[in-house]
């Protein structure tokens, strides 16, 4: 079912010109410019954010939630996160690396919402503001995931308050760069010329011991 949903999301974003192929955008560490262009102005149009939020809610509700779901976001991803929280009737937690700490409870399911994940640094800095992540792991959900090695390295060392070990972070996305590569030869060629940037397999970052 979700493979069909992925096609639906990708087709919708292409029709709305949110994701375009043929641009030449610089990316840190890449050997050459990426052909992927994301139009953030179009992304944050009400009909687009509503569509994305609906698909995210479907994925969240597909999981076996253990308790009270809360939606978290940083300043950059607040529009989509707000829509997700509104559709679920869930509280919205605003996180900022310059703000205060949110004290999580064991019975909570926290979903951190982002639009796009590249390096993951901004998301990780915001997630650090959630205390007690050892008893309440944070799920990360985004619209588009570049699946970069660097984001894995950024998320994996997230430490528990005890200072020992790390936490497992599940990164889920509606679409990722592999989906684009299957449809767009230019993206496939770009990935092949920048293999050092990308991860393989699933995007579950296991706990570190």
């Amino acid at each position: 079912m979700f493979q069909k949903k992925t096609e639906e999301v990708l087709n919708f974003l292409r029709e709305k010109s949110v994701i375009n192929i043929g641009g030449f955008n610089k990316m840190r560490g890449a050997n050459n410019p990426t052909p992927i262009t994301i139009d953030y102005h179009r992304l944050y149009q009400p009909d687009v954010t509503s569509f994305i939020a609906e698909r995210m809610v479907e994925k969240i509700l597909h999981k076996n939630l253990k308790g009270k779901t809360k939606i978290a976001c940083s300043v950059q991803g607040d529009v989509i996160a707000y829509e997700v929280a509104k559709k679920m009737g869930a509280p919205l937690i605003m996180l900022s690396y310059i703000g205060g700490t949110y004290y999580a409870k064991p019975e909570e399911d926290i979903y951190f919402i982002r639009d796009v994940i590249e390096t993951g640094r901004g998301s990780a800095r915001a997630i650090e503001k959630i205390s007690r992540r050892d008893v309440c792991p944070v799920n990360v959900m985004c619209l588009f995931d570049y699946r970069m090695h660097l984001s894995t390295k950024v998320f994996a060392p997230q430490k528990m308050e005890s200072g020992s070990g790390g936490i497992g972070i599940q990164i889920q996305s509606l679409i990722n760069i592999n989906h684009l590569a299957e449809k767009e030869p230019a993206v496939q060629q770009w990935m092949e010329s920048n293999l050092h940037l990308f991860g393989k397999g699933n995007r579950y970052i296991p706990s570190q011991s």
Side-chain angles (χ1 to χ4, degrees):
M1 181 182 73
F2 283 110
Q3 185 174 3
K4 184 177 180 180
K5 293 292 185 182
T6 299
E7 290 282 342
E8 179 187 19
V9 172
L10 183 54
N11 290 337
F12 177 84
L13 296 176
R14 295 301 302 274
E15 289 172 4
K16 293 292 184 178
S17 299
V18 174
I19 292 182
N20 301 289
I21 307 301
F24 297 96
N25 299 306
K26 293 182 179 180
M27 179 175 287
R28 180 181 297 180
N31 295 323
N32 52 333
T34 171
I36 303 169
T37 301
I38 297 178
D39 189 325
Y40 286 92
H41 176 72
R42 295 180 185 273
L43 172 59
Y44 288 119
Q45 294 302 306
D47 61 326
V48 177
T49 56
S50 179
F51 175 88
I52 293 169
E54 287 175 1
R55 299 304 173 269
M56 287 187 172
V57 169
E58 288 177 359
K59 289 180 75 74
I60 292 173
L61 294 180
H62 183 70
K63 299 294 182 180
N64 293 319
L65 303 178
K66 65 177 182 292
K68 187 174 183 180
T69 302
K70 292 191 175 182
I71 305 301
C73 68
S74 61
V75 174
Q76 298 93 327
D78 60 346
V79 178
I80 296 175
Y82 173 79
E83 284 294 324
V84 172
K86 183 173 68 173
K87 291 180 184 298
M88 293 189 67
L92 180 64
I93 307 167
M94 296 292 291
L95 303 171
S96 171
Y97 63 90
I98 60 174
T101 298
Y102 176 77
Y103 294 92
K105 300 177 179 62
E107 67 272 15
E108 293 178 340
D109 287 291
I110 296 180
Y111 278 83
F112 181 82
I113 306 295
R114 283 304 304 264
D115 44 21
V116 177
I117 290 183
E118 292 183 9
T119 66
R121 285 181 173 137
S123 298
R125 287 199 298 178
I127 291 172
E128 285 174 354
K129 289 298 180 178
I130 300 177
S131 179
R132 304 184 73 216
R133 297 189 306 277
D134 49 343
V135 298
C136 181
V138 177
N139 303 281
V140 177
M141 182 173 288
C142 65
L143 166 64
F144 184 72
D145 179 9
Y146 273 94
R147 297 176 65 87
M148 295 176 66
H149 280 307
L150 182 55
S151 63
T152 301
K153 293 177 182 179
V154 166
F155 282 118
Q158 293 280 314
K159 296 296 182 182
M160 297 179 185
E161 287 187 15
S162 62
S164 62
I167 63 172
I169 293 181
Q170 177 73 55
I171 300 179
Q172 304 171 64
S173 62
L174 298 186
I175 56 174
N176 62 56
I177 195 168
N178 291 335
H179 298 134
L180 279 183
E182 291 174 3
K183 302 288 185 181
E184 300 289 345
V187 177
Q188 179 66 40
Q189 293 171 9
W190 182 73
M191 290 185 69
E192 290 174 353
S193 65
N194 293 279
L195 291 176
H196 61 287
L197 291 180
F198 303 104
K200 297 180 179 180
N202 63 35
R203 289 289 274 140
Y204 179 71
I205 299 171
S207 301
Q208 305 292 305
S209 58

